[in-house]
Amino acid sequence: MTLFGDTYHNHVFVSLALIATIVSSSCSSSVLFMIKRMNVWNLHLSLIFAMTSFELMYDVFFFSCMVDTGNFPLTVISNIAVCLGGTTSSLLSNVIAMVALYVVYFRQTIDLIPYYYLIIAIASIPGMIVIIMYIMVLAYVRYDYLVDI
């Protein structure tokens, strides 16, 4: 069973998912490349680098998460990567926004070195919880929502 059946809408959806995957993966990769080429490294940039890395994880697996590729292990890995990458990059962007707000409001920098790994761990926890719940119900899941290629 497919979402749209073998119709024009199905082909448009698959094409748009592929285009979104290619464009977003290219953008995330180019941001990572630019950060590495800057040759300036501080903890604020490392937070942005970590956020973009998780975003790239989300972007790369977006297509195989949305479209039925006919490969069940790829679908499971894609769903896990999308859950972890999406939630962690979102939470890291919130942390970066809060650091920027603190710096602008109080006009002083924050020493993130003692908190860097704690920030990454705390931002990863919600995605890990979703992954654990996903794995627990994996035996009962039917992927009827996926669109066939």
Side-chain angles (χ1 to χ4, degrees):
M1 182 175 171
T2 61
L3 184 63
F4 300 116
D6 192 21
T7 64
Y8 178 71
H9 297 291
N10 184 1
H11 298 292
V12 169
F13 180 80
V14 169
S15 300
L16 288 175
L18 182 61
I19 290 169
T21 300
I22 292 170
V23 169
S24 61
S25 297
S26 301
C27 292
S28 297
S29 299
S30 64
V31 168
L32 291 175
F33 179 72
M34 286 188 290
I35 290 173
K36 289 299 260 184
R37 287 231 21 200
M38 286 172 49
N39 291 328
V40 176
W41 195 255
N42 58 34
L43 269 298
H44 299 285
L45 274 179
S46 65
L47 275 177
I48 295 171
F49 189 83
M51 178 194 70
T52 309
S53 299
F54 281 106
E55 183 64 33
L56 180 63
M57 179 192 312
Y58 176 85
D59 295 339
V60 166
F61 288 101
F62 179 75
F63 179 77
S64 55
C65 179
M66 295 297 291
V67 176
D68 187 11
T69 58
N71 188 348
F72 183 73
L74 178 63
T75 302
V76 171
I77 291 169
S78 298
N79 287 335
I80 289 172
V82 164
C83 288
L84 182 63
T87 56
T88 306
S89 67
S90 175
L91 290 173
L92 285 176
S93 70
N94 292 335
V95 169
I96 292 167
M98 294 303 293
V99 168
L101 177 67
Y102 181 87
V103 168
V104 169
Y105 186 74
F106 293 109
R107 295 185 181 151
Q108 56 183 335
T109 61
I110 299 176
D111 183 23
L112 294 175
I113 292 173
Y115 308 111
Y116 179 74
Y117 293 110
L118 180 65
I119 291 169
I120 300 295
I122 289 173
S124 301
I125 288 173
M128 295 291 191
I129 292 171
V130 172
I131 290 170
I132 291 169
M133 292 182 345
Y134 171 72
I135 290 172
M136 289 172 54
V137 299
L138 194 58
Y140 303 107
V141 173
R142 291 184 58 212
Y143 293 102
D144 292 338
Y145 66 91
L146 295 173
V147 176
D148 289 330
I149 294 180

